[in-house]
């Protein structure tokens, strides 16, 4: 198996290498067709051809001997190298092919291609792989991944080349613009000089020109000298440079003389060819001036061509050498450094990459402007950066091939593991799916009675959350061990869920199964010692029996689960047998759960408020928020849907929705901020992480004072004292009110009254029944009120519905009442009306 995996991996990798060379050759051909005039070819012709022939060579190679394989490749490489050398000595095409070795992008491909080729040869030698030996799917995926990577690389590299090419073109255009601007400035200056001197007396002409020569030379740095000639080209006036220039014969050559004598009334310019190869190449600008006496003079300005262009404007493009083509054999260097004039042939021998722009000069003549790439530093940097795209593509391809070749083996191993994985790792019991398989396989062969005992731990999630999953797992392991030790008559025992277990019996009587289940309740309820922690835990058990010859296992488990839910609703820590009447109850629970979830999603739950009155002042001092659910025009009692929500965990969503609505109402209605609004919280909400922090953040965000909010918890929450007590005390420390609701109906009420972390006690309506008349009920109510008063608790008596009960309660100080004698629960709008009436 391992050898097969290695061979498949090698074959897929070999195919990927062939695909790499094929993609490079296709991209190279596409580049030559779509962008033939690029400054630098990202994939030059040599790389394109080498990649194509390498891909064909590897694809057609059929298991040769290693020596023959290596000899063939070495001979082919030497042949290509020799042809390149031969071509480079005879023509420019060959020179360009050989020069591609200096192309930074081509060099990247040569390095990567050489490494891949060597890897392909090793794979071919070691595993005798071939192009057609790999499955189609890995071939397609590697082809797509390599195409994406190489196209991204080629696109990024092409963009970098275009940027450099644009810079070169920009310099050519900038040189042309600067040259035109300089010539325009000089011709304008000479034209102004002509306009001032034209048509005035001869003496005035000479005097004015003498002054203008001085100012003109000072105004323009490029002016080396100025000379005034008569019609016979004799010197009338000049400075040192112009006189030396004239004496040197630069103005007396036939071409220059003819050009000067043909000077008309316009300003014209020309380069002096005899000076172009000197240190000061001269551009001549001339015009003719006529005096009033009829004599004519020729003004010649001699400009240093090296100073026509301000170097500072093109300094940022110093990576390019720019030349203006004066004639096909004479290219003038615009940088003014070293040799001014050279030939195109000499430049092409020095520089490999260049651009050409046609630039018009004063709309008179158009010159070719060449920008040659002086150094490739920028391109080399981009080539180094962009090559990581290729490496990442190859790495992805390698990883995919490595994974894909092992997929079949891993899949086979996974199926084997699934076949063997019938036992839960934590408990050692059967897994849920394994139990189903076992029961289905036995269903056709069982002819006696069968029974399912469905065990669900009470409050395990709270223990798991408080102690941590490590101790929670240890507790589950101990519980599973007790179930296994006790249920020795069971056919199968399985862990059905996180804290659920199923015990399956065959051919046992109802009494025996009930006895086993009752003993199991006792075993589970015994204390668990985990390190130094003692844990008490109970369970709820549902039992379903079946006597039919053809067993419906899924139905039997479902019935046991329904019975377990009934046992949990009856107070937990007990067992319950399934009977047909439970189906209706179960369906009702399923319906309530589904519809309640829809209502939560639609935000259809409403909040009503029942006022709390102070008897002494007969005013509203608070209100209790109560959730209401209207479905199809009818209200569903909280007594119906709240227990279901507690069982399904939806109580968290219900509680969050109510809290969000109440806090929003308080923030939006100043009248509610003058009283205290109570919100009922479920024990499951207190078990959430950061309960206190989240509640504090909510009231702070809405600028609600904690004293304006009362947190109500039922007295049964006190069964979670070790976890709930610190939270309630922290709430009081933050300024919230904490009220114990339904006081007197729950857990050890009187013994814990002095220790309960609450500043408000709400006495349950069970204490007010028949308490308005003297008797035992009235005495008990009085004792509870007095006891709470002694402990400095605020007292709220619930369920006050008669005037007689209200009259009796007036004898106590600081008593608050809540009940129908004052008001039933009402929508927010009605409560606000009462508060406005009270304020008015």
């Amino acid at each position: 198996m391992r050898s097969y995996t290695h061979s498949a991996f090698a074959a897929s990798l070999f195919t990927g290498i062939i695909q790499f060379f094929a993609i490079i050759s296709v991209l190279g051909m596409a580049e030559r067709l779509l962008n033939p005039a690029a400054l630098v070819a990202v994939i030059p012709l040599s790389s394109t051809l080498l990649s194509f022939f390498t891909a064909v060579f590897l694809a057609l190679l059929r298991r040769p001997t290693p020596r023959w394989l290596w000899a063939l490749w070495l001979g082919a490489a030497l042949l290509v190298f020799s042809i390149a050398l031969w071509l480079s000595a005879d023509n420019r095409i060959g020179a360009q092919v050989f020069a591609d070795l200096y192309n930074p992008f081509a060099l990247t491909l040569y390095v990567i291609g050489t490494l891949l080729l060597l890897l392909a040869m090793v794979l071919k030698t070691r595993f005798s792989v071939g192009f057609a030996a790999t499955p189609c799917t890995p071939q397609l995926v590697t082809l797509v991944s390599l195409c994406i990577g190489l196209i991204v690389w080629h696109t990024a590299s092409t963009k970098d080349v275009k940027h450099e090419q644009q810079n070169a073109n920009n310099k050519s255009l900038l040189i042309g613009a600067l040259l035109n601007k300089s010539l325009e400035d000089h011709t304008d200056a000479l034209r102004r000089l002509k306009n001032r001197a034209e048509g005035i007396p001869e003496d005035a002409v000479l005097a004015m020109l003498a002054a203008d020569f001085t100012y003109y030379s000072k105004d323009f740095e490029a002016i080396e000298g100025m000379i005034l000639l008569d019609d016979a080209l004799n010197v009338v006036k000049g400075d040192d440079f112009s006189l030396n220039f004239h004496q040197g014969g630069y103005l007396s050559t036939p071409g220059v003389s003819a050009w000067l004598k043909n000077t008309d009334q316009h300003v014209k310019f020309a380069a002096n060819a005899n000076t172009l190869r000197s240190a000061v190449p001269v551009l001549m600008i001339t015009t003719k001036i006529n005096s009033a006496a009829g004599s004519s003079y020729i003004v010649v300005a001699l400009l240093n061509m090296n100073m026509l262009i301000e170097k500072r404007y093109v300094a940022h493009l110093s990576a390019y050498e720019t030349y203006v083509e004066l004639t096909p054999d004479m290219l003038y260097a615009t940088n003014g450094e070293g040799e001014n004039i050279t030939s195109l042939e000499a430049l092409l021998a020095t520089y490999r990459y260049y651009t050409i722009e046609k630039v018009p000069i004063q709309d008179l003549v158009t010159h070719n402007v060449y920008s040659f790439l002086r150094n490739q530093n920028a391109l080399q940097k981009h080539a180094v950066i962009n090559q990581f795209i290729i490496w990442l593509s190859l790495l992805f391809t390698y990883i995919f091939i490595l994974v894909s070749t092992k997929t079949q083996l891993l899949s086979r191993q996974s199926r084997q593991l699934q076949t063997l994985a019938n036992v839960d790792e934590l408990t050692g019991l059967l897994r849920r799916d394994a139990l189903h398989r076992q029961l289905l396989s036995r269903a056709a062969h069982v002819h006696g009675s069968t029974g399912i005992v469905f065990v669900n731990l009470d409050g395990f999630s709270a223990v798991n959350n408080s102690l941590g999953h490590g101790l929670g797992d240890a507790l589950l392991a101990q519980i599973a061990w007790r179930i296994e030790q006790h249920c020795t008559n069971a056919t199968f025992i399985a862990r059905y869920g996180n804290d659920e277990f199923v015990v399956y019996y065959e051919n046992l009587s109802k009494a025996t199964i009930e006895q086993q289940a009752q003993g199991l309740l006792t075993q589970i309820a015994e204390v668990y010692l985990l390190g130094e922690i003692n844990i008490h835990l109970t369970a709820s058990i549902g039992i379903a029996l079946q006597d039919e010859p053809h067993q419906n296992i899924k139905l039997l488990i479902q019935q046991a689960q329904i019975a377990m839910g009934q046992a949990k609703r009856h107070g937990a820590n007990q067992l319950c047998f399934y009977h047909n009447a439970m189906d209706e109850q179960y369906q009702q629970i399923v319906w309530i759960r589904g519809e309640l979830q829809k209502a939560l999603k639609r935000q259809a739950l409403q909040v009503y408020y029942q006022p709390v009155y102070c008897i002494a002042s007969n005013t509203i001092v608070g209100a209790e928020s109560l959730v209401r659910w209207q479905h199809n025009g009818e209200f569903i009692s909280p007594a119906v849907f709240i227990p279901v929500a507690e069982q399904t965990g939806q109580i968290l969503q219900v509680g969050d929705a109510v809290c969000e609505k109440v806090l929003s109402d308080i923030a939006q209605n100043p009248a509610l901020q003058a009283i205290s609004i109570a919100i009922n919280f479920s024990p499951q909400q207190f078990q959430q992480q950061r309960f206190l922090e989240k509640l504090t953040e909510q009231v702070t965000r809405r600028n609600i004072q904690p004293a304006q909010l009362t947190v109500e918890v039922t007295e049964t929450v006190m069964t979670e004292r070790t976890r709930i007590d610190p939270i309630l005390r922290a709430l009081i420390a933050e300024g919230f009110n904490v009220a114990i609701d339904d006081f007197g109906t729950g857990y050890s009420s009187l013994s814990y009254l002095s220790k309960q972390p609450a500043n408000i006690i709400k006495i349950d309506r069970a204490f007010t029944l028949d308490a308005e008349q003297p008797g035992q009920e009235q005495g008990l109510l009085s004792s509870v009120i007095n006891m709470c008063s002694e402990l400095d608790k605020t007292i709220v008596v619930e369920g006050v519905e008669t005037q007689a009960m209200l009259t009796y309660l007036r004898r106590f100080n600081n008593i608050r009442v809540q009940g129908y004698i004052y008001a039933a629960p009402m929508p927010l709008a009605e409560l606000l009306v009462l508060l406005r009436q009270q304020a008015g």
Side-chain angles (χ1 to χ4, degrees), residues 592-608:
I592 290 175
R593 178 174 60 187
E595 294 302 314
L596 179 58
Q597 193 61 41
K598 295 177 184 177
L600 287 167
K601 188 175 182 179
R602 297 194 309 267
Q603 298 181 346
L605 296 183
Q606 305 175 40
V607 175
Y608 276 42

Side-chain angles (χ1 to χ4, degrees), residues 555 558 562 569 578 580-595 644:
L555 178 61
Q558 182 179 348
I562 293 173
R569 286 190 294 275
Y578 170 81
N580 292 332
M582 291 181 181
D583 271 339
E584 184 177 348
Q585 299 175 3
Y586 177 74
Q587 293 301 326
Q588 182 184 20
I589 292 172
V590 172
W591 181 84
I592 290 175
R593 178 174 60 187
E595 294 302 314
V644 175

Side-chain angles (χ1 to χ4, degrees), residues 510-522:
K510 177 181 179 179
T512 303
I513 294 177
E514 182 177 8
Q515 182 181 1
Q516 288 268 309
Q518 196 64 53
L520 186 56
L521 285 175
T522 303

Side-chain angles (χ1 to χ4, degrees), residues 182-192 216 267-269 285 362:
S182 181
L183 291 175
E184 183 179 352
D185 291 342
H186 286 287
T187 53
D188 286 346
L190 205 59
R191 189 177 294 113
R192 288 194 299 271
Y216 188 23
V267 177
K268 61 181 182 179
F269 59 87
I285 301 181
Q362 295 291 296

